[in-house]
Amino acid sequence: MSTATAPGRRTRPATRRRRGDGGRHQGRVALLFISPWLIGFVVFMAYPVLYTVYLSLTDYDVINDPSFVGLNNYRELMGDEKIRLALRNTFVYTLMSVPAQLAVSLGLALLLQRAGRAAGFFRTAFFLPKMTPPVAVGVLLLMLLNGQNGLLNEFLGWFGINGPNWTTDPAWVKPGLVIMSLWTVGASVIILLAALQEVPEELLDAARVDGAGWWRRLWHVTVPIISPAIYFIVVVDTIASLQSFTEAYTAFFGAGNTTYSNDAALFYAIYLFQQAFEFLHMGYASAMAMLLFVIVMVVTAVQVMLSRRYVHYTGGAR
């Protein structure tokens, strides 16, 4: 028995319907596979951020229920002298530590590039300090940078240099913290070493033929080619420096430390922690957290805009 179709009418093929059903099925399967990540993002990222925004508009001391106070916490931020001190300390530390870490990382990566068969050993040796607990690094800071018998001042004494009081002189507290931050540059070294190994040797040879010395080859050939890796390290290290907490807190605020250098080491994250867990001003601390979030976003946005001019990608794209 056959069926007839009216002239001018077209029927949708069954195969096309099955293909559409198969696409929807694949979409559901894909959603099922990524659902653990989606649940984790909502529970551990989106909800805490939204709840922090809510708490920043309340007066909350953990014991009593939050009471809505509007923008009072943000107004109080504007008049808090310690907020200004903490922000100033944090920005100064960031401006000192990020270039120092990048310079040391690049120098070590350049040395590793010439290590030959020993490069594997040195890669491991440079990365291992990254695994050191930050609390241990804070204690190590007090031992190595002690103004009286610290290892660093002992080393400077061999050259007739009278080392400063790194942990008690406010002028030297942040430089001392920057020196200790160099302890964990191993990850950046590995990233830059991988980028250096991708630099075409023919470009370096052409520069040598043109009479370019080591420095000109590094600045005009190597650095532009590895600029994406440098950009990544600068962004990550900047965000980490703006949130610096553990090492400085352990060295200068933990275990009842009351030295007068505390103010020089009062970073923004430390003051936020004090407001939240020592003074139980959770609403005020939440407002501080939102301010730090905005600062990090603005700084990162500026870096992204600058990258369009200074970061060069393969094929000439920026």
Side-chain angles (χ1 to χ4, degrees):
M1 181 176 179
S2 61
T3 58
T5 303
R9 293 185 60 188
R10 300 181 61 184
T11 59
R12 177 179 294 180
T15 56
R16 184 174 299 177
R17 289 197 299 271
R18 288 196 297 270
R19 190 176 303 164
D21 294 340
R24 286 192 292 271
H25 175 70
Q26 291 178 353
R28 288 192 292 268
V29 171
L31 186 62
L32 178 64
F33 274 106
I34 67 172
S35 60
W37 180 88
L38 290 175
I39 295 172
F41 175 78
V42 171
V43 173
F44 298 109
M45 292 290 293
Y47 173 73
V49 169
L50 294 176
Y51 192 63
T52 300
V53 174
Y54 163 70
L55 287 182
S56 71
L57 303 174
T58 66
D59 181 12
Y60 181 45
D61 60 2
V62 180
I63 301 173
N64 301 302
D65 292 334
S67 59
F68 187 79
V69 294
L71 299 177
N72 285 356
N73 289 325
Y74 292 96
R75 296 191 189 98
E76 190 176 346
L77 284 177
M78 300 301 104
D80 192 338
E81 292 293 334
K82 277 207 167 186
I83 288 285
R84 299 172 189 174
L85 173 65
L87 283 175
R88 182 166 61 249
N89 288 338
T90 303
F91 281 124
V92 170
Y93 172 78
T94 300
L95 291 173
M96 295 171 64
S97 66
V98 174
Q101 291 181 36
L102 179 61
V104 171
S105 300
L106 182 56
L108 292 175
L110 289 169
L111 290 175
L112 274 181
Q113 196 179 24
R114 299 173 177 271
R117 295 181 179 179
F121 167 78
F122 286 110
R123 282 200 303 267
T124 303
F126 287 150
F127 187 79
L128 279 178
K130 183 71 175 178
M131 309 303 293
T132 307
V135 173
V137 176
V139 175
L140 187 65
L141 183 148
L142 294 177
M143 297 172 59
L144 296 180
L145 301 184
N146 186 285
Q148 305 301 320
N149 53 14
L151 184 61
L152 181 56
N153 279 2
E154 291 286 343
F155 174 75
L156 294 175
W158 295 347
F159 302 94
I161 301 174
N162 187 19
N165 294 317
W166 299 95
T167 58
T168 57
D169 187 347
W172 289 99
V173 166
K174 283 185 281 295
L177 289 169
V178 170
I179 291 174
M180 287 308 301
S181 72
L182 302 179
W183 176 260
T184 56
V185 297
S188 299
V189 173
I190 302 304
I191 293 172
L192 288 174
L193 178 62
L196 287 171
Q197 291 173 343
E198 297 300 320
V199 177
E201 191 64 32
E202 56 269 20
L203 294 181
L204 297 173
D205 291 338
R208 291 191 191 95
V209 172
D210 290 338
W214 178 85
W215 174 255
R216 292 181 68 85
R217 294 197 303 272
L218 174 66
W219 187 251
H220 294 288
V221 178
T222 303
V223 169
I225 293 176
I226 67 172
S227 57
I230 293 175
Y231 167 64
F232 171 78
I233 290 172
V234 168
V235 171
V236 171
D237 286 351
T238 300
I239 295 174
S241 296
L242 290 173
Q243 301 178 77
S244 295
F245 171 78
T246 308
E247 294 88 343
Y249 185 84
T250 302
F252 296 101
F253 296 88
N257 193 322
T258 57
T259 60
Y260 68 88
S261 60
N262 278 3
D263 282 349
L266 182 65
F267 292 154
Y268 191 87
I270 293 176
Y271 189 47
L272 191 157
F273 175 86
Q274 290 176 335
Q275 289 291 336
F277 299 104
E278 293 182 14
F279 310 141
L280 297 183
H281 297 160
M282 279 292 179
Y284 189 69
S286 298
M288 290 181 62
M290 297 313 303
L291 176 60
L292 180 60
F293 174 78
V294 171
I295 291 173
V296 170
M297 292 294 291
V298 170
V299 172
T300 304
V302 171
Q303 291 175 327
V304 170
M305 289 188 292
L306 291 175
S307 71
R308 297 171 184 172
R309 178 175 181 181
Y310 295 106
V311 179
H312 304 265
Y313 293 97
T314 302
R318 297 186 180 182

